[in-house]
Amino acid sequence: MKRILHLISSIQGNKSHSLELGNAIIEKVIEKYPGSTVKEVNLVDLDIPHLSPATLQSLFIPGDKLTAEDKELIQFSNEAVNQLMASDIIVIGAPLYNFTIHTSLKSWIDHITRPGITFGYTKNGPVGMVTGKKVYVAMSSGGIYSEGPGKNNDFVAPYLKAFLGFLGMTDLTVFRAEGLKVPGVMEHAMEKGIASIHID
């Protein structure tokens, strides 16, 4: 039994390919780990606030010195960190928009990046503190970015691997539904993406 956190960052609603792929990943996880629970969080619907100077300052204030205003500013950050830490498996729906991730997912990442909580500094450099997690990325794209000319313009998979790895989430697998707008490829792109799913 696993605790699954499903993060959605598509603006396509129920027509979302990354959502369909993410749900397929979760189905496979539950097949392997019967009885697993799923916490679904639609980041777009939450309208997550971007980090402001006041919020950033509040993140560094010791808990016993936080004012009511400070606590309100970091409420989402605390909730997001708690959800992350309570999960065994994280499934991230990550459609490629303009070569990168949607701003809602970037805001979530900014809010879970907490010195002393999700990463720390040592004399040998930074160390990720979010360990023991498995991350699956459900990535969708109209073009093909896993290979060929488009590969240099994929700032979704490399970014998520690099930054989540920085936080300690180094066990990350990307599944792609790509070529969704490419004639001759789009007809079977979703089917191919789902067929590629394997759960370690």
Side-chain angles (χ1 to χ4, degrees):
M1 176 178 171
K2 300 290 184 180
R3 294 164 295 181
I4 306 166
L5 176 62
H6 185 193
L7 301 174
I8 299 166
S9 65
S10 172
I11 57 176
Q12 299 295 327
N14 291 331
K15 297 180 180 179
S16 166
H17 295 293
S18 62
L19 175 60
E20 183 178 352
L21 188 61
N23 285 335
I25 293 170
I26 290 171
E27 287 180 10
K28 293 289 187 180
V29 171
I30 293 175
E31 282 181 13
K32 182 166 184 176
Y33 303 105
S36 294
T37 60
V38 181
K39 172 66 175 178
E40 184 176 282
V41 179
N42 191 315
L43 301 176
V44 176
D45 287 349
L46 289 177
D47 194 22
I48 304 168
H50 293 290
L51 286 184
S52 66
T55 302
L56 182 62
Q57 182 178 352
S58 296
L59 293 176
F60 288 90
I61 298 174
D64 59 346
K65 297 186 182 302
L66 289 168
T67 66
E69 183 180 359
D70 292 328
K71 291 177 181 178
E72 184 176 352
L73 286 171
I74 65 172
Q75 180 179 347
F76 174 81
S77 178
N78 287 339
E79 290 175 356
V81 169
N82 289 338
Q83 287 174 345
L84 176 64
M85 292 302 197
S87 303
D88 303 303
I89 296 173
I90 300 94
V91 177
I92 301 175
L96 182 147
Y97 293 139
N98 301 323
F99 300 153
T100 189
I101 59 175
H102 186 255
T103 57
S104 63
L105 181 54
K106 178 58 168 65
S107 290
W108 179 82
I109 288 172
D110 288 341
H111 281 278
I112 64 161
T113 304
R114 301 280 297 272
I117 299 177
T118 58
F119 78 98
Y121 290 106
T122 71
K123 62 181 181 180
N124 296 318
V127 175
M129 299 169 68
V130 188
T131 58
K133 313 291 184 185
K134 174 64 187 181
V135 180
Y136 294 107
V137 175
M139 180 179 167
S140 62
S141 59
I144 295 173
Y145 294 89
S146 63
E147 59 185 8
K151 189 171 184 178
N152 289 336
N153 293 328
D154 173 11
F155 299 100
V156 173
Y159 171 69
L160 291 175
K161 285 181 179 179
F163 200 81
L164 296 181
F166 170 80
L167 295 182
M169 292 171 275
T170 55
D171 189 0
L172 184 150
T173 302
V174 178
F175 297 120
R176 298 173 184 254
E178 60 179 349
L180 292 161
K181 300 293 185 181
V182 179
V185 176
M186 59 190 290
E187 294 81 2
H188 303 288
M190 201 67 235
E191 178 184 351
K192 182 179 178 182
I194 291 175
S196 72
I197 299 170
H198 58 277
I199 304 302
D200 300 329

